Amino acid sequence: MKELTVHTGRSYRIKIERGLINQAGPLIRSVSKAARAAVVTDSNVAPLYAERLRVSLEAEGFTVSLFVFEAGEGSKRLSTVARMYDHFVEHSLSRTDLVVALGGGVTGDMAGFAAATYLRGIDFVQIPTSLLAQVDSSVGGKTGVDVDAGKNLVGAFWQPILVLIDPDTLSTLPKRYFADGMAEVIKYGCIKSASLFEKVASGKAAQQIEQVIYECVDIKRRVVENDERDTGERMLLNFGHTLGHALEKRYQYQTLSHGEAVGIGMVLMSTAGERRGLTKPGCALRIEQALQAYGLPVSDPTSLKELAANAGADKKSAGHVIRLILLKEIGESYLHTIPRDGLSDFLAGGIQA
Ligand code: GLY
């Protein structure tokens, strides 16, 4: 078993091993004295793993209840969280009880937010089942929901007490969702680790997935430990995301997955960085090739002008400036501040947008 400790305001362990879901009960018991555990999961994941998890938790004396919501980003709303609160009350969850998030990013974000706010905060455990959640969203304590004005605009920093990553759950993921997570894996290589980038660039991540997940989580752990509240270094994790979010929004979150959009964002930002002499030449091409090795798209017909306008209107980054994440080279990233109205020009790098 691979293990890491995240040293945040409240420290916690991350354990990575194939088949780990079957050991969830004793592992959770070792960090929690709770009498009750509410397992939150979605309609896709529930039939696959919920029963196994319930048996394992009950064997450790937890009284288990199951809250299942309809799978999909569309459910990531306050109304679903409100139903979760009702479920917790109905099942008599107290301050010393526990929420277990079993599923992908939507599940973890939303169950974490419910745990952060129910009775002013109760413990929660993350059991991420998608690659995206395993390498990114389950670690670091960002929880939240979408509102009409945008994604993740309401939430809380609330660290889990334990993260259990079972790479076997990836075998049930459709190919497109595995690729979705691979865009974030490639991102970690780009921003912090040339050796991780090399390891996955040829398309062979699945063959060494436990090690790949470990390296990604270790990078995220270090970054989050330095900047839990996302005011400095943690922003580097958003490489490709400024334009990625703009692209996702441009297609009303229907056409491109998060990872697909972020991949295109990484290529566009590196291309612009190269044109401006801020990024080592050749990076954009290497990123393109790595993305293509997992069947991910590397371009989009949306004009740079439209993208820049969308990105500039991002509700999470007000003010006159916009902080871009650029690569110096593969494995090294930095923040670069430009005037908000200069994004279109920056992206075009002097070329007509
Ligand atoms: N997904 C970016 C972060 O956790 O900061």
Side-chain angles (χ1 to χ4, degrees), residues 136 139 142 220 230 234 237-238:
D136 183 18
V139 178
K142 277 190 182 174
K220 179 139 190 190
D230 201 14
R234 187 164 180 170
L237 297 174
N238 282 339

Side-chain angles (χ1 to χ4, degrees), residues 52-334:
R52 235 194 284 173
L53 180 60
R54 176 202 289 277
V55 168
S56 181
L57 288 167
E58 284 179 347
E60 291 296 320
F62 291 99
T63 300
V64 180
S65 65
L66 189 63
F67 179 90
V68 184
F69 63 91
E70 195 188 329
E73 184 80 26
S75 289
K76 200 174 147 184
R77 311 290 294 189
L78 284 167
S79 53
T80 313
V81 174
R83 288 199 292 115
M84 268 180 222
Y85 298 145
D86 290 342
H87 174 95
F88 298 164
V89 171
E90 199 181 309
H91 291 270
S92 310
L93 253 71
S94 73
R95 269 236 175 101
T96 51
D97 288 324
L98 185 70
V99 172
V100 181
L102 171 72
V106 169
T107 302
D109 285 8
M110 206 163 38
F113 182 59
T117 46
Y118 178 69
L119 302 180
R120 300 196 176 86
I122 68 171
D123 287 347
F124 90 113
V125 170
Q126 288 270 23
I127 307 183
T129 57
S130 71
L131 183 58
L132 190 81
Q134 292 184 349
V135 298
D136 183 18
S137 57
S138 67
V139 178
K142 277 190 182 174
T143 71
V145 294
D146 304 335
V147 293
D148 288 345
K151 281 177 77 171
N152 297 321
L153 290 187
V154 172
F157 287 99
W158 189 246
Q159 303 292 344
I161 58 165
L162 180 68
V163 181
L164 299 178
I165 299 178
D166 180 349
D168 276 352
T169 60
L170 303 180
S171 62
T172 51
L173 269 191
K175 199 166 169 261
R176 188 173 175 211
Y177 288 98
F178 183 80
D180 190 41
M182 277 312 301
E184 296 284 353
V185 172
I186 292 166
K187 176 204 77 180
Y188 282 113
C190 286
I191 62 168
K192 287 281 180 191
S193 171
S195 67
L196 172 63
F197 186 90
E198 285 310 324
K199 189 173 286 170
V200 302
S202 59
K204 303 223 162 44
Q207 286 88 319
Q208 42 190 335
I209 198 66
E210 215 168 313
Q211 179 62 23
V212 166
I213 294 169
Y214 175 85
E215 289 183 31
C216 292
V217 171
D218 195 32
I219 293 171
K220 179 139 190 190
R221 174 192 68 75
R222 273 185 277 135
V223 170
V224 168
E225 282 177 356
N226 289 337
D227 178 23
E228 186 175 349
R229 290 271 164 168
D230 201 14
T231 56
E233 186 181 349
R234 187 164 180 170
M235 290 182 205
L236 297 178
L237 297 174
N238 282 339
F239 175 52
H241 283 60
T242 302
L243 299 178
H245 287 152
L247 271 170
E248 280 184 277
K249 200 162 138 203
R250 153 90 176 72
Y251 293 111
Q252 283 95 41
Y253 303 98
Q254 302 294 327
T255 313
L256 292 171
S257 72
H258 177 71
E260 288 166 352
V262 165
I264 297 167
M266 294 193 288
V267 172
L268 289 173
M269 204 48 90
S270 302
T271 305
E274 287 182 32
R275 283 187 189 139
R276 298 247 162 213
L278 296 166
T279 296
K280 188 174 167 188
C283 285
L285 180 62
R286 290 177 67 199
I287 296 170
E288 273 188 31
Q289 288 166 342
L291 293 168
Q292 280 167 333
Y294 296 93
L296 287 158
V298 295
S299 63
D300 184 84
T302 309
S303 76
L304 294 177
K305 209 175 234 162
E306 185 184 340
L307 262 187
N310 258 324
D314 181 0
K315 296 208 165 37
K316 276 206 278 191
S317 64
H320 296 300
V321 295
I322 187 160
R323 271 187 277 193
L324 304 177
I325 295 99
L326 294 180
L327 299 188
K328 190 168 166 217
E329 56 184 316
I330 299 288
E332 200 177 331
S333 52
Y334 63 102

